[in-house]
Each structure stands twice: as C-alpha cells, then as structure tokens.
Amino acid sequence: MYPNEFYQQMKESQIPIVLIDSYCNDYYYHNIRIDNAYGSYLATRYILQNGHREIAFLVGRLQENGVMKKHLAGYQKALAEFGVPYQPDYVLEGQIDYESGVQHARAIVERHLPVTAAVAAADILVIGAMKGFYELGLRIPDDISIAALSVDEPPQHPVYQFTRVGFRSDMLTGSLPALMSAPVDRRELLVPITDVIPGNTTAAPKYDPSVKRLALALILKDHPTYRVVRAGFLNAVQHLGYQAEVVGISDTDETAFRSVCLSLLDQNVDGVV
C-alpha cells in the first residue's frame, strides 16, 4: 500500500494510475477489480458439492483489506446455499503469504478444528497450508481437501495441483488499452473468473454409521399398520449400519407422546423419524 501522500501527489500532477484489485472511485484512477467474491464462492461451492461441511477459510486481514471481505462474502454465500452454518472459528486471518498459510494449517490442527477441507483466498496461502499439513502428518487429499483462487496458469509442479479458480490474465492484459482510454466515468474493469479447475480434491470422509443412533417415534405404535412401519424402519437402518430403536405410545395421548419425544433429547440420539 502506498501512503496517502503519494496518491495526493499523483492527483495533483494528474498522472493516470492503474490500481489492480483495489476499491477507489476517484476519477484520477483506473481501477481493475478481480471478481474475488465469485472466485471464493465457486471454490467453496465445489468443495461443498464433494460432500464437505466442515470447511476452513484462509484469508487476509478482514479489517485492513476490502478485497478480503469480498472473498469472505463469496465463502459465506456458498455455505448459505448449502444450508451449512457459518462458523467464525473456521475463518483464519493473516497475511497473504506463504508462512501465514503454514501457520493456518498448524492452527487448524492445534485447535482440533474438525475440518475436512480448506479454501484459501490466494494460492500462496494454500501452498503454505499444504506444507503445514504435510509436516503435521496430514495427507492431501486423503485427510484434507484444498482449493484456492489462483492465476489461470499456476506454476507447473506436483504440489501445486490444487483445485482452483483463476482470474483471466488474458482479459486483464487485453483490456488495459481500452481501460486507459475510457471516459472518466467508465474507468473500471471487472476481471472475470475461470471455471473450477479440479486438482487435489476428494469426497468428504464418510461418517461411521455404527456410532449414529436413530429413533422412530410413533403414536399407536402397536397398531398393525405401524408394525409394518416399524419393520420398514428397522430394516432400513440395519441395511445402513446404524443403531436404532422404536419409541412411542400405544394410544393417541398427544401430551404423553410429546414427553416421549422430548426424552430423546437426553439420550444422545442423532436423528428422529
């Protein structure tokens, strides 16, 4: 970041300045924005589509950088679309550099965050995180999947084959002349994002069904019709490998039935039908 005094001097001299990925509406500046929100949204959505629900987000300092807030907005939008709660503890802030990525990986393990995937706001962050995970004995993508916003042509090296979306550098270079000659009120360019480029990403680990407990709650549980329902439920959970039980009452007393259902809250039941 340049000091404000520098910007003021440039304004006074009326020398045109190109700002890349900044947010400035001053007519002395030519502004190029990368669609960061959409990039983080696409990367997070791809991870979600693979079944992950515990996803860490590696980002820069949110209070110091408006661009990072755009990244966060994309991450939050993807979570909301899949009905996944936003967890502030899963957002790890730092510098946009390699060492911060390493530290983020260590923090995830040291805090015992049960994440199965990490999405980063920049490729340098996720590359550092990869090293940090490797050092701590986590395998990619066997133990944790990763994704990040990158340029469209990252370095060709095995460890860089992460799932990514990139900004179109060809669109950036091709549009610069037009941007520099644009009218004062049109001196802004939004650089589009590529589609997801799959890399080291795998499906989320499956839960062990043997530790899950389900319950079927019934009114008139001994009625012949509901005996059939009970049999279907127990056959299904046996096939899936879950623990199961049937609870309920033999009559239609709603108050008594409600008490039976509420009692399940104290029994570590994971789901009720």
Side-chain angles (χ1 to χ4, degrees):
M1 294 295 294
Y2 289 103
N4 290 333
E5 293 78 8
F6 172 79
Y7 284 122
Q8 186 62 36
Q9 290 176 10
M10 294 301 99
K11 286 176 62 175
E12 293 173 355
S13 63
Q14 299 191 12
I15 297 175
I17 302 174
V18 175
L19 299 179
I20 297 180
D21 217 21
S22 185
Y23 293 85
C24 183
N25 56 11
D26 194 302
Y27 67 89
Y28 286 101
Y29 303 125
H30 303 272
N31 197 3
I32 299 170
R33 298 191 195 183
I34 299 169
D35 201 347
N36 296 287
Y38 190 56
S40 289
Y41 164 77
L42 286 182
T44 306
R45 188 181 69 176
Y46 185 82
I47 292 293
L48 288 161
Q49 288 172 336
N50 277 273
H52 296 272
R53 293 298 179 267
E54 307 290 336
I55 305 171
F57 189 60
L58 317 183
V59 70
R61 302 289 183 190
L62 293 169
Q63 297 304 317
E64 301 172 4
N65 194 324
V67 173
M68 294 299 107
K69 293 179 181 178
K70 294 291 184 182
H71 278 290
L72 180 65
Y75 166 75
Q76 291 175 312
K77 178 181 178 182
L79 293 181
E81 287 188 359
F82 279 75
V84 177
Y86 169 66
Q87 303 190 63
D89 288 347
Y90 285 11
V91 177
L92 305 176
E93 298 182 51
Q95 302 301 318
I96 306 297
D97 56 28
Y98 178 84
E99 186 57 36
S100 288
V102 175
Q103 295 300 326
H104 289 328
R106 292 173 181 166
I108 288 171
V109 176
E110 291 171 359
R111 298 180 194 176
H112 303 288
L113 297 181
V115 301
T116 60
V119 176
D123 52 5
I124 192 64
L125 278 174
V126 85
I127 293 169
M130 290 170 72
K131 176 175 173 54
F133 288 132
Y134 283 136
E135 290 177 343
L136 294 167
L138 292 179
R139 298 166 300 167
I140 299 170
D142 307 79
D143 299 313
I144 191 164
S145 291
I146 55 175
L149 180 69
S150 178
V151 294
D152 47 5
E153 291 295 336
Q156 297 302 308
H157 188 281
V159 300
Y160 291 113
Q161 302 309 308
F162 51 87
T163 296
R164 68 188 194 277
V165 293
F167 67 85
R168 294 283 303 275
S169 58
D170 58 332
M171 294 290 294
L172 175 60
T173 56
S175 301
L176 274 175
L179 178 69
M180 295 296 291
S181 60
V184 170
D185 59 346
R186 296 183 183 177
R187 288 182 174 175
E188 183 168 89
L189 172 69
L190 184 66
V191 180
I193 295 293
T194 66
D195 292 331
V196 172
I197 305 170
N200 288 337
T201 305
T202 189
K206 295 184 180 299
Y207 287 108
D208 179 1
S210 65
V211 302
K212 293 289 184 180
R213 297 181 63 241
L214 304 180
L216 173 67
L218 291 172
I219 285 180
L220 295 173
K221 67 183 180 67
D222 297 317
H223 189 281
T225 298
Y226 289 111
R227 288 179 181 174
V228 176
V229 173
R230 288 162 56 180
F233 171 77
L234 293 173
N235 285 340
V237 294
Q238 182 179 11
H239 174 72
L240 295 171
Y242 289 93
Q243 302 178 56
E245 61 180 307
V246 176
V247 299
I249 60 175
S250 298
D251 53 34
T252 58
D253 186 335
E254 292 187 4
T255 301
F257 180 65
R258 188 179 300 111
S259 297
V260 169
C261 293
L262 290 174
S263 69
L264 294 172
L265 296 175
D266 299 323
Q267 299 178 33
N268 295 322
V269 172
D270 297 292
V272 179
V273 178

